[in-house]
Amino acid sequence: MVDGTPRIKVRRVEKPPYVVDESRLRRFNSRNIVFERVMWDPSWEGYRRMYDEKVLDIIAEGKPGYSRLDFALSYASWIVRDGFEGGLSWTKIKPYRPPLVSVGIDWTKMRYDVDDPHEMSAYIKWAGRLIGASLVGICKLNRLWLYEDVEIPERFENVIVMAIEMDAEAIETSPAVPATIATGVGYSKMAFVLACMGEFIRNLGYDALQCGNDTALSIPLAIDAGLGELGRNGLLITPQYGPRVRLCKIFTDLPLESDKPIEFGVREFCKKCKLCAEHCEAGAISMDDEPSFEGVCRSNNPGALKWYVDVERCYLFWCENGTDCSTCIKVCPYNRASMLTRASGDREGVTPGGILKGML
Ligand code: SF4
Ligand code: SF4
């Protein structure tokens, strides 16, 4: 373990800061996501186990942070994500005002000419921040990151990746329920942000496929889009918030300029730190000094150089805990470092540049 706070000095780089063995890395099949395997894979202990199966017993124990109130708010925090179908829409959510459509006026179907993808990207980032995304990055779609069982047309070549910050104080309570509330709020905010951004793009006459964790691996896309690097805990580490974010993305044919990836020394720091592995109650995070290309369970995708997280163990801990867990987010020094340095955080690229200059 290393002491202290990592220094965050971000530099833009030409290539994403990950290493893959191209002879081994395959597209990941979404059937192997641990939550999917709960439904179909009797070969592991988590089969047909729901992680809220013990909630009543846990409430009865009376532990702080596991009360009926905490669970009630936790379930409520997910409601926009779970109850609002527009959050993950791939088509127009709301038709333009019917009276005008009936007389043939629907300007939202007219394609907006994008003369300058750089300016368009600046506007997208400004819009993303305005509607609630904490970070917005753009990359070309590397189709290796699409799930093996998903295809989307070639014209969707750009990806807008957005990160939503989760509440720091609530995450500090992990593995108790308030941390889960922060997670649920992150997912519900994600639905709002996705819907506004997707509909904005469709109002410009382009297509937008709004995605949460579905359709493709979010973390490598976020790395490609310059939002952060991969940590030992298997999560995206951002300079601004550490791993304390949820990720979502939109695939689009809107012409955009990609961001360059960033590097700020996460892998080297993780080699010595190991705090997430030491605090993980499931023993799911590797203590090895060096990352590897080998997965440790069926829900990993071997062929990328990283510390593979045993997500089977992680899920089984959630079942015992009665709720999910954010301890590997809570203890990460980048979480703390990012809280300290946020005031001077990187807001690069979020102002709309020339597009709004004339208006401000
Ligand atoms: S979420 Fe909790 S159980 Fe899962 S890897 Fe992180 S610390 Fe371990
Ligand atoms: S807590 Fe884990 S992910 Fe965070 S810096 Fe330490 S080793 Fe890396």
Side-chain angles (χ1 to χ4, degrees):
M1 196 193 102
V2 287
D3 290 324
T5 301
R7 283 188 61 238
I8 297 182
K9 190 167 180 205
V10 178
R11 59 190 186 96
R12 293 273 170 191
V13 291
E14 295 303 318
K15 290 187 176 169
Y18 47 66
V19 180
V20 299
D21 178 346
E22 287 175 4
S23 68
R24 288 196 61 190
L25 188 67
R26 298 280 175 272
R27 283 168 62 181
F28 183 66
N29 193 308
S30 69
R31 263 172 67 78
N32 287 327
I33 294 172
V34 80
F35 303 109
E36 299 294 324
R37 290 177 58 211
V38 166
M39 305 312 295
W40 68 262
D41 185 2
S43 75
W44 81 290
E45 236 181 295
Y47 178 58
R48 299 239 172 243
R49 287 198 63 187
M50 299 297 136
Y51 65 78
D52 54 358
E53 64 195 7
K54 293 186 175 174
V55 165
L56 284 178
D57 295 339
I58 290 169
I59 290 172
E61 284 174 27
K63 284 190 295 180
Y66 293 83
S67 71
R68 170 77 187 270
L69 288 176
D70 296 319
F71 278 106
L73 183 55
S74 166
Y75 281 38
S77 68
W78 288 82
I79 198 62
V80 178
R81 202 293 294 259
D82 293 345
F84 168 48
E85 288 180 3
L88 296 179
S89 181
W90 285 19
T91 56
K92 191 93 171 159
I93 299 169
K94 183 176 180 292
Y96 190 63
R97 281 178 285 167
L100 291 180
V101 172
S102 68
V103 294
I105 306 168
D106 183 356
W107 55 265
T108 66
K109 285 188 176 158
M110 294 159 55
R111 187 161 269 206
Y112 173 78
D113 287 332
V114 178
D115 298 327
D116 183 344
H118 174 77
E119 292 275 283
M120 190 70 244
S121 298
Y123 197 99
I124 285 281
K125 290 179 186 181
W126 174 78
R129 293 294 296 250
L130 181 62
I131 61 184
S134 308
L135 302 170
V136 186
I138 296 168
C139 62
K140 291 289 171 215
L141 172 57
N142 178 347
R143 301 182 83 85
L144 193 57
W145 306 133
L146 283 174
Y147 292 140
E148 188 184 34
D149 44 331
V150 177
E151 289 300 342
I152 62 175
E154 292 289 332
R155 66 195 164 82
F156 291 98
E157 61 170 14
N158 291 317
V159 194
I160 301 162
V161 188
M162 295 180 283
I164 314 286
E165 182 193 10
M166 294 184 287
D167 185 86
E169 285 183 18
I171 291 293
E172 280 296 307
T173 70
S174 178
V177 183
T180 305
I181 299 168
T183 304
V185 169
Y187 274 98
S188 282
K189 282 185 179 172
M190 191 192 287
F192 176 90
V193 167
L194 281 170
C196 293
M197 183 64 89
E199 203 74 340
F200 165 52
I201 292 169
R202 289 187 283 267
N203 285 345
L204 296 174
Y206 294 86
D207 284 324
L209 311 181
Q210 302 160 208
C211 303
N213 295 337
D214 55 292
T215 308
L217 297 167
S218 295
I219 292 175
L221 288 171
I223 296 171
D224 291 352
L227 296 189
E229 287 187 65
L230 183 67
R232 176 186 289 272
N233 55 9
L235 301 172
L236 181 80
I237 310 283
T238 67
Q240 295 89 344
Y241 309 101
R244 195 167 35 80
V245 292
R246 310 299 334 173
L247 295 173
C248 58
K249 65 263 184 188
I250 292 182
F251 301 98
T252 183
D253 53 357
L254 179 69
L256 293 171
E257 180 184 71
S258 294
D259 291 298
K260 286 185 178 175
I262 58 172
E263 236 178 30
F264 51 107
V266 171
R267 181 176 299 159
E268 286 310 307
F269 192 85
C270 284
K271 279 184 183 176
K272 295 192 174 139
C273 169
K274 301 184 181 176
L275 268 176
C276 52
E278 288 168 5
H279 285 82
C280 172
E281 294 188 46
I285 301 176
S286 169
M287 287 289 286
D288 292 348
D289 289 342
E290 296 296 328
S292 132
F293 289 100
E294 306 298 328
V296 294
C297 71
R298 183 177 188 146
S299 290
N300 295 149
N301 198 29
L305 185 65
K306 61 184 187 177
W307 289 279
Y308 285 86
V309 175
D310 189 334
V311 287
E312 292 182 359
R313 285 192 187 190
C314 171
Y315 184 82
L316 292 173
F317 172 71
W318 293 13
C319 293
E320 294 307 311
N321 193 43
T323 189
D324 60 38
C325 164
S326 295
T327 300
C328 48
I329 297 173
K330 169 177 90 173
V331 301
C332 179
Y334 283 103
N335 179 17
R336 284 180 278 137
S338 59
M339 281 195 269
L340 294 172
T341 58
R342 185 111 43 82
S344 58
D346 175 11
R347 290 176 63 92
E348 178 194 352
V350 299
T351 48
I355 289 180
L356 283 195
K357 268 186 192 142
M359 296 167 51
L360 296 175

